[in-house]
Amino acid sequence: MTISYSLTARSVATKAMQDRGIIGIGVDPTGAELAYCVDALNLMLKSWAARGLTLWTEEDGTATTTPASNVVELPVRVIDVSEVRVLSGGIERQMTRWEKGEYATLPNKAQTGEPLIYSMVYADEPYLRIWPTPSTARTLYYTYARVIEDIAVDDPVGVPQMWQETVVKCLAARLDAFGVADGETLGKIASDAARLEQMMFDHDRPASYFIGSDKYA
């Protein structure tokens, strides 16, 4: 038994064009057709990330706090942090996530102590605000969602196997520029794409994040 099935951007584009009736089975797309489809695929994946999809982009990270600072810088590829644990006295302790508005209600943001709360901020660069502010350096372990990386034509589309059909169908639904397929076919593609996309988002319930420009406010 094998479970290694995966699709490249080329194969996703080819399948989507075949579903749409743009090319026949066994026919390869032209270079221009392929380039258009791969661009559309990248745009679709980026838009999914903008809507909060983190299903296959979660990773673990480590950061060290700066003494007397409540700001923790994050790598630029981070778009959301779903959980944080602080290492103190050899023990990892879960921190509580507060959203931007909740954090703003703290009456004394400079209070020192063992950090209990974190708030995710995405401005020009992502960072965490923590509270209370630790007076000495602390190690934080966190789980984050990263940006979806750009995909070239022969790169694998790093999507879990259960959602590969969703990628194909949703891409097929976006190929209006080719203007091919009868109304019944287009309707079925749109219906299948909407159903599969909804299933995928229902399966993935990430924490929300905020975009702003109030760094270190």
Side-chain angles (χ1 to χ4, degrees):
M1 181 182 72
T2 62
I3 53 172
S4 58
Y5 183 78
S6 65
L7 297 173
T8 63
R10 181 188 298 273
S11 56
V12 167
T14 301
K15 290 178 182 296
M17 294 181 72
Q18 289 169 343
D19 284 354
R20 185 80 183 227
I22 299 166
I23 59 175
I25 302 299
V27 177
D28 293 328
T30 66
E33 290 171 337
L34 191 58
Y36 179 90
C37 288
V38 173
D39 279 347
L41 174 61
N42 274 293
L43 288 171
M44 182 179 74
L45 294 175
K46 303 293 185 183
S47 71
W48 282 351
R51 290 171 56 189
L53 184 69
T54 62
L55 191 64
W56 61 88
T57 63
E58 284 197 339
E59 298 181 2
D60 295 324
T62 304
T64 302
T65 66
T66 300
S69 173
N70 67 349
V71 173
V72 180
E73 300 278 1
L74 298 172
V76 294
R77 67 202 307 258
V78 174
I79 59 174
D80 192 31
V81 173
S82 58
E83 64 95 21
V84 179
R85 288 159 287 126
V86 58
L87 181 64
S88 179
I91 298 174
E92 292 182 25
R93 179 170 42 78
Q94 194 83 21
M95 295 178 65
T96 301
R97 176 175 175 135
W98 279 22
E99 302 303 342
K100 183 178 180 181
E102 294 174 306
Y103 186 90
T105 65
L106 288 170
N108 183 5
K109 298 178 179 62
Q111 179 178 329
T112 60
E114 289 298 319
L116 303 171
I117 292 165
Y118 78 94
S119 179
M120 171 72 194
V121 180
Y122 194 95
D124 296 330
E125 296 176 352
Y127 65 95
L128 297 178
R129 288 184 291 202
I130 58 176
W131 184 90
T133 301
S135 56
T136 59
R138 289 285 183 263
T139 299
L140 303 182
Y141 301 104
Y142 60 93
T143 301
Y144 68 96
R146 60 170 173 77
V147 295
I148 294 178
E149 296 171 354
D150 300 344
I151 300 173
V153 63
D154 289 313
D155 288 343
V157 180
V159 176
Q161 290 178 333
M162 69 177 80
W163 305 122
Q164 289 181 8
E165 181 187 17
T166 304
V167 174
V168 172
K169 294 296 184 183
C170 288
L171 179 60
R174 285 167 167 76
L175 300 183
D176 294 333
F178 291 96
V180 179
D182 59 85
E184 183 178 353
T185 300
L186 289 177
K188 186 176 187 309
I189 289 173
S191 176
D192 288 346
R195 174 178 55 82
L196 290 166
E197 185 179 60
Q198 189 61 55
M199 287 172 57
M200 180 177 64
F201 274 89
D202 285 346
H203 190 80
D204 180 60
R205 295 296 186 187
S208 61
Y209 60 90
F210 289 87
I211 296 176
S213 57
D214 61 340
K215 189 172 185 181
Y216 305 164

